Amino acid sequence: MAAEPAAPQPTSYDRLIKACLQKFYPDLAAWLIGERPEEVRAIDPVLTSPTLRFADKLLFLKLKKNAPGLLHVEFQAEGDAAMPKRILTYIALLLKTLEQIEEEERQAIRPACVVIYLSQEGYRSDPGFFDLSGYLDFKLFIAYKVIRLWEVDPQPIFELESPGLLPFVPL
C-alpha cells in the first residue's frame, strides 16, 4: 500500500514576505538604511548551530555615500519575548560571517540588525537591546532597531515605488 502524501504545511505570512523580497533587497535596504545601495548580496550565513538556520536575511550592502554594511533583517509575524537573546545569537552569526570577508573590506563594514514586526496581534514588547553585566567589569550591550509596521508611515514605502515593499503597507 502506497503511503499517503504529506499534508501541505501552512505558509506563514513572514515566509511569504521573505519570498517576495528576494528580488527587492536593494529597495528593502534603501527603506531601512536610507540610502539605495549600489550592490546587495544575500549572504548564506555560517550555520554554527541548528538554531541559527532561522535567521531571516543577512545582506551585504555596498553603498555610495557610506561604508559597506552587513544588515541582518529579522521578520516576526508575532511577538517573541526571547528576541533580545535571539539577536545576541544572530550577532555571533554576523561576526562569524565577517570572518569570511577579506580583512581589508571587513575593517570598513558597519553591521546593523533590525527586527520587523508584521502584526500588532500577538506582539510582545521588544526593548530593542540586550544588556548583560557580570563580574570583573564584564559588560555586554547590543542594540538593534525595532520596527512595528502598524506604527510606520507608509509614505516612504510608496515613494520608493517598489512592488516588493508594497505588502508592508496594509500591515
Side-chain angles (χ1 to χ4, degrees), residues 57-134:
K57 281 293 153 214
L58 191 57
L59 304 173
F60 172 79
L61 310 175
K62 183 177 177 186
L63 304 166
K64 284 184 184 178
K65 299 177 186 175
N66 293 299
L70 196 55
L71 174 62
H72 168 238
V73 182
E74 186 69 22
F75 296 97
Q76 286 296 120
E78 52 189 35
D80 183 350
M83 185 53 68
K85 289 181 183 176
R86 284 181 53 202
I87 290 294
L88 177 63
T89 304
Y90 296 141
I91 294 295
L93 168 73
L94 191 140
L95 293 173
K96 186 74 173 164
T97 301
L98 280 173
E99 291 176 4
Q100 298 177 2
I101 297 171
E102 291 184 34
E103 189 168 347
E104 279 183 31
E105 192 175 32
R106 183 181 341 140
Q107 298 302 320
I109 291 176
R110 299 189 52 164
C113 289
V114 61
V115 179
I116 301 174
Y117 288 97
L118 302 173
S119 174
Q120 189 171 8
E121 186 176 312
Y123 173 74
R124 293 181 186 95
S125 181
D126 183 339
F129 67 88
F130 179 85
D131 191 7
L132 177 66
S133 297

Side-chain angles (χ1 to χ4, degrees), residues 4-20:
E4 289 185 38
Q9 296 296 319
T11 302
S12 68
Y13 194 71
D14 64 330
R15 285 187 184 177
L16 290 172
I17 290 278
K18 287 180 263 186
C20 289

